[in-house]
Amino acid sequence: MTERVQSSTGCSLPTQGLRKFSGESMPKGITLAGCLGLFSGFISALISLPAFAAERTVQTPDWLMAHVGGGTGQIAQPVLERARALHLTKVAEGEVKNACYFAMDATRPNDLSDGQSGGRFYIICEAERLFRVISAGHGGGRNLPGVLNFSNSRECAKNFGNALDSNLTAGGAYLTSEIKTTFRGYYRTTADQEAVLTRSFVQFDGIGETANARQRAIGGHAAALVSGICMQKKPDSAYANRDGYVPLGKLVTYAGGRSDGCTSWSPAEAPQVLSMVKDNPTTLYIYPESRDIKAVAQAVSAGQSLTHNGLYWNAACLKEIGSPAFWPKEKLEPIIAQYKKDHPAPPPKPAPMCDAALN
């Protein structure tokens, strides 16, 4: 999907009474696969419970627990628990065979003060004992002047939602799907050298509240685009249009920026993520969901402790945003549609021809 580069160039469940599967020896004749199938329905119910402190239905390995926490390079326990539960459920149901799964904590900061992108997208392969953290952009939202402002800053996301054309991140459960690669344009590497940018996009299929992900064109891709395009004569290019021209511009990467609601990875890290799901779908769990956002907002409004109420939000970002907000599509889509009707977009202008000096 098309992303906006903003600014300078600016896309456990509290549980009481739930029994923990502690990993003790299983009775004879019961296999691990059988247990996963048996617990599939229970895990599904677990994901839907409110708040975050759910007991692990299948014990989290010690090596993975060592990565749990609130520090840099760590994953918050509720995010990991829900991501594991989603993956175990889909494996047990036969929808997923991929041994690896993804998670994202959109409450964490993205654009850090030292200029480095904050790690908040998690690649987990338990069989290989692989735990990797990479950057990921969040949806920038929109500001509809005179009507409504639900935009997000570069560092922390305050606004979330699942409305069409909202450019917001929607937390919840997803499955990765097909990958499509498109030509984005040429860009200069030196004064007399050019390169081609092609970008692969993996479609996400949402579950439940995120079920309109395909309609919203929500997926994952590298945080890169070609900006400031002019048309260059290059008739020998495989990407030339019928008149022999190709788009030429400046390469812009925005791993620390925002998107139009998609999950964007740095150009260096995106190929690994995409290669892991090519013809081999897996699960992605994005935190927070609407119920988490509403519960945190209520607790903040009442001056209550999140921890005391079994809730989670990254402390640094909560301090910055004050209180989060969720914008449901039922509320936001009519507002966006009316704004578009009242403010029709001007007709598109053709890209200018590149100056002869640039060719």
Side-chain angles (χ1 to χ4, degrees), residues 104 106 137-140 152 157 159-164 166-174 204 206-213 216 218 259-263 284-290 293 325-329:
M104 178 177 172
H138 58 263
N152 284 318
N159 297 294
F160 299 81
N162 59 353
L164 189 66
S166 67
N167 299 344
L168 291 172
T169 294
Y174 296 89
F204 294 164
I207 302 170
E209 199 166 62
T210 63
N212 63 341
R216 295 184 64 205
I218 296 297
S259 72
D260 283 354
C262 289
T263 300
L284 164 64
Y285 180 77
I286 298 180
Y287 185 93
E289 298 179 46
S290 63
I293 297 166
F326 179 79
W327 301 87
K329 61 181 181 180

Side-chain angles (χ1 to χ4, degrees), residues 15 25 31 51 95 117 139 146 156 163 174 181 188 197 209 215 219 226 228 279 321 326 335 352:
T15 123
S25 297
T31 64
E95 290 190 54
S117 297
C156 296
Y174 296 89
T181 301
R188 299 273 186 195
L197 176 65
E209 199 166 62
Q215 180 187 11
V226 176
D279 302 320
I321 66 175
F326 179 79
I335 296 175

Side-chain angles (χ1 to χ4, degrees), residues 95-109:
E95 290 190 54
V96 168
K97 296 180 180 179
N98 198 317
C100 302
Y101 58 96
F102 304 141
M104 178 177 172
D105 182 354
T107 75
R108 280 181 175 261

Side-chain angles (χ1 to χ4, degrees), residues 288-342:
E289 298 179 46
S290 63
R291 55 191 169 95
D292 305 303
I293 297 166
K294 294 171 184 176
V296 168
Q298 290 173 359
V300 169
S301 178
Q304 298 174 346
S305 163
L306 299 191
T307 303
H308 180 74
N309 284 275
L311 302 172
Y312 163 72
W313 202 277
N314 177 269
C317 274
L318 188 61
K319 182 178 180 180
E320 178 180 311
I321 66 175
S323 182
F326 179 79
W327 301 87
K329 61 181 181 180
E330 294 80 7
K331 176 179 180 179
L332 201 51
E333 285 182 357
I335 296 175
I336 295 173
Q338 186 62 48
Y339 183 85
K340 291 170 66 176
K341 181 178 180 181
D342 296 339

Side-chain angles (χ1 to χ4, degrees), residues 139-208:
R142 296 179 64 182
N143 180 11
L144 309 181
V147 179
L148 190 63
N149 185 355
F150 49 94
S151 61
N152 284 318
S153 67
R154 291 173 63 88
E155 184 174 359
C156 296
K158 173 185 176 70
N159 297 294
F160 299 81
N162 59 353
L164 189 66
D165 295 332
S166 67
N167 299 344
L168 291 172
T169 294
Y174 296 89
L175 293 174
T176 63
S177 189
E178 75 274 9
I179 296 176
K180 181 180 180 181
T181 301
T182 57
F183 167 67
R184 311 298 291 188
Y186 282 83
Y187 62 93
R188 299 273 186 195
T189 56
T190 65
D192 57 356
Q193 295 290 325
E194 298 171 358
V196 172
L197 176 65
T198 58
R199 199 179 69 183
S200 296
F201 171 87
V202 55
Q203 175 69 52
F204 294 164
D205 284 322
I207 302 170

Side-chain angles (χ1 to χ4, degrees), residues 117 132 134-137 221-224 253-256 264-271 273:
S117 297
R132 188 179 177 198
I134 65 176
S135 66
H221 55 75
T253 61
Y254 54 100
S264 53
W265 307 292
S266 75
E269 294 164 325
V273 180

